[in-house]
């Protein structure tokens, strides 16, 4: 794909990683953040990541921090927003950005769950607006969900998919704009049942995680759920569903057990206890284990 000019709005956890991926793919990237400390540290974080992964450290020179939003977006072919999950903030940003970009500039939001339709409804030209949901960390997890709305043009979707594919990502087209898109709907359907099992005393949190990691979790990277259903047979899948689905958690709202954890300030790693207790050493060990697993998977993909 031809070299593009990319503007990343937000230099935090996701933003600097997205900038890193595009810069490594050869694109010129301008990164903006209203918080000076985040912006000032973006290039250093990207350089650290590049060196850690054995990627070309000179890619960081294609990243330009910019503290003026108007300047950051005015020459861009593609603008991607990666700020906090705050609908009003995202809406405000895109309304501010639109007058300062070309008519053909594509505008994308990296929201995890907010419908793109709600974010982009205030734009004058909504045909070039869409969602691109990256996963954390952006430079290690390959998936990008490309979400169109009822207004998004097919050329905008096609160009965005091509841009991400050429950058080494795995873009998929989400054809209907629903909360959570595909990945988070699947992930949190699993989490809802996992929490319910603990809430109802069927097992403890450690058992839930052990069961997943030591069984179907082992094959998820190479065998998706619908591939698995075809493998065992749709008839067997139907028979299982006829027995178990009526007993699986289906409440429409959050679990009272989860709500109580939050009310009691048991916030997981943030407080040292959530579904289970976590020492500082245990937290560091788990973070390191996950990171190394993702690095190994990336090396195998390459």
């Amino acid at each position: 794909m031809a070299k593009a000019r990319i503007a990343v709005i937000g230099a935090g956890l996701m933003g600097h990683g997205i900038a890193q991926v595009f810069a490594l793919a050869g694109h010129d990237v301008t990164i903006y953040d209203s918080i000076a400390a985040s912006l000032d540290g973006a290039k250093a974080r990207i350089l650290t990541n590049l060196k850690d992964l054995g990627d070309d450290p000179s890619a960081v020179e294609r990243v330009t921090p910019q503290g003026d939003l108007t300047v950051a977006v005015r020459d861009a072919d593609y603008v991607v927003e990666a700020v906090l999950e705050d609908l009003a903030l995202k809406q405000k940003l895109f309304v501010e950005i639109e007058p300062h970009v070309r008519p053909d500039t594509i505008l994308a939001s990296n929201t995890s769950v907010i419908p793109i339709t709600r974010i982009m409804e205030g734009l004058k030209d909504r045909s070039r607006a869409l969602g691109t949901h990256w996963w954390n960390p952006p430079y290690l997890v390959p998936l990008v969900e490309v979400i169109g709305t009822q207004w998004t043009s097919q050329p905008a979707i096609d160009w965005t998919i091509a841009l991400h594919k050429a950058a080494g990502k795995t873009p998929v087209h989400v054809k209907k704009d629903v909360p959570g898109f595909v990945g988070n709907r699947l992930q949190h359907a699993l989490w809802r049942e996992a929490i319910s099992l603990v809430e109802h005393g069927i097992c403890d949190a450690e058992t839930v995680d052990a069961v997943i990691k030591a069984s179907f979790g082992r094959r998820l990277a190479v065998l998706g759920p619908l591939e698995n259903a075809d493998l065992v047979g749709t008839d067997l899948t139907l028979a299982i569903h006829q027995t178990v689905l009526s007993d699986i958690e289906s409440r429409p709202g959050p679990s009272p057990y989860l709500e109580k954890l939050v009310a009691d300030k048991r916030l997981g790693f943030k407080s040292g206890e959530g579904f289970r207790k976590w020492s500082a050493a245990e937290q560091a060990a788990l973070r390191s284990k996950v990171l190394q697993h993702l690095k190994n998977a990336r090396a195998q993909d390459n």
Side-chain angles (χ1 to χ4, degrees):
M1 186 172 190
K3 184 176 179 180
R5 290 167 295 189
I6 311 290
V8 178
I9 311 304
L13 183 66
M14 297 301 292
H16 86 277
I18 292 171
Q20 175 182 326
V21 171
F22 283 131
L24 189 60
H27 303 296
D28 291 328
V29 182
T30 300
I31 187 167
Y32 164 85
D33 201 298
S34 60
I35 300 174
S38 294
L39 190 61
D40 293 343
K43 290 189 70 168
R45 296 175 72 185
I46 291 170
L47 182 59
T48 297
N49 292 338
L50 291 169
K51 290 179 177 178
D52 181 55
L53 295 170
D55 291 332
D56 181 5
S58 69
V60 74
E61 298 307 319
R62 287 189 283 274
V63 178
T64 303
Q66 174 54 251
D68 186 316
L69 179 62
T70 301
V71 175
V73 303
R74 67 184 177 192
D75 295 322
D77 301 303
Y78 178 82
V79 177
V80 56
E81 163 270 313
V83 300
L84 299 174
E85 284 290 272
D86 181 317
L87 175 60
L89 174 61
K90 292 177 186 291
Q91 291 172 327
K92 179 175 179 291
L93 268 174
F94 281 109
V95 169
E96 290 177 358
I97 289 167
E98 187 178 29
H100 302 290
V101 296
R102 300 192 316 269
D104 61 338
T105 299
I106 292 177
L107 304 177
S109 173
N110 179 55
T111 177
S112 299
V113 295
I114 303 173
I116 308 304
T117 303
R118 296 184 66 191
I119 294 171
M120 304 298 188
E121 62 189 2
L123 297 182
K124 293 179 180 178
D125 179 8
R126 296 172 289 192
S127 67
R128 38 84 172 271
L130 42 74
T132 51
H133 175 217
W134 296 58
W135 292 69
N136 184 43
Y139 45 87
L140 289 178
V141 182
L143 182 68
V144 177
E145 295 173 282
V146 178
I147 309 105
T149 71
Q150 68 266 39
W151 311 302
T152 311
S153 72
Q154 191 61 47
I157 291 171
D158 293 343
W159 189 90
T160 302
I161 289 175
L163 173 71
H164 289 78
K165 187 173 183 179
K169 306 306 291 181
T170 302
V172 296
H173 181 199
V174 180
K175 298 178 181 180
K176 289 187 178 181
D177 181 27
V178 294
F181 319 125
V182 176
N184 267 320
R185 289 173 79 95
L186 292 170
Q187 178 172 235
H188 286 276
L190 174 60
W191 289 18
R192 178 172 65 177
E193 182 60 24
I195 295 168
S196 178
L197 290 168
V198 176
E199 177 184 348
H200 291 99
I202 297 166
C203 63
D204 58 23
E206 290 87 348
T207 298
V208 169
D209 291 333
V211 166
I212 293 169
K213 290 188 288 186
S215 62
F216 65 86
R218 290 285 181 100
R219 60 183 182 232
L220 277 176
V222 294
L223 184 67
L226 300 186
E227 289 175 324
N228 199 356
D230 276 348
L231 187 153
V232 303
T234 55
D235 53 342
L236 176 57
T237 301
L238 176 59
I240 292 170
H241 283 195
Q242 287 170 334
T243 300
V244 76
L245 285 190
S246 62
D247 201 52
I248 286 178
E249 185 60 67
S250 60
R251 63 163 64 99
S255 161
Y257 184 88
L258 177 60
E259 291 177 329
K260 188 173 190 310
L261 287 183
V262 174
D264 292 344
K265 306 299 181 184
R266 292 167 60 187
L267 305 177
F269 279 21
K270 296 176 184 178
S271 64
E273 182 179 5
F275 289 97
R276 53 171 287 189
K277 293 182 179 179
W278 296 94
S279 68
E282 288 172 330
Q283 291 182 34
L286 184 56
R287 290 185 192 277
S288 177
K289 185 176 182 179
V290 172
L291 188 61
Q292 189 58 53
H293 172 75
L294 293 175
K295 288 180 180 178
N296 292 341
R298 178 182 184 264
Q300 291 176 356
D301 290 341
N302 294 336

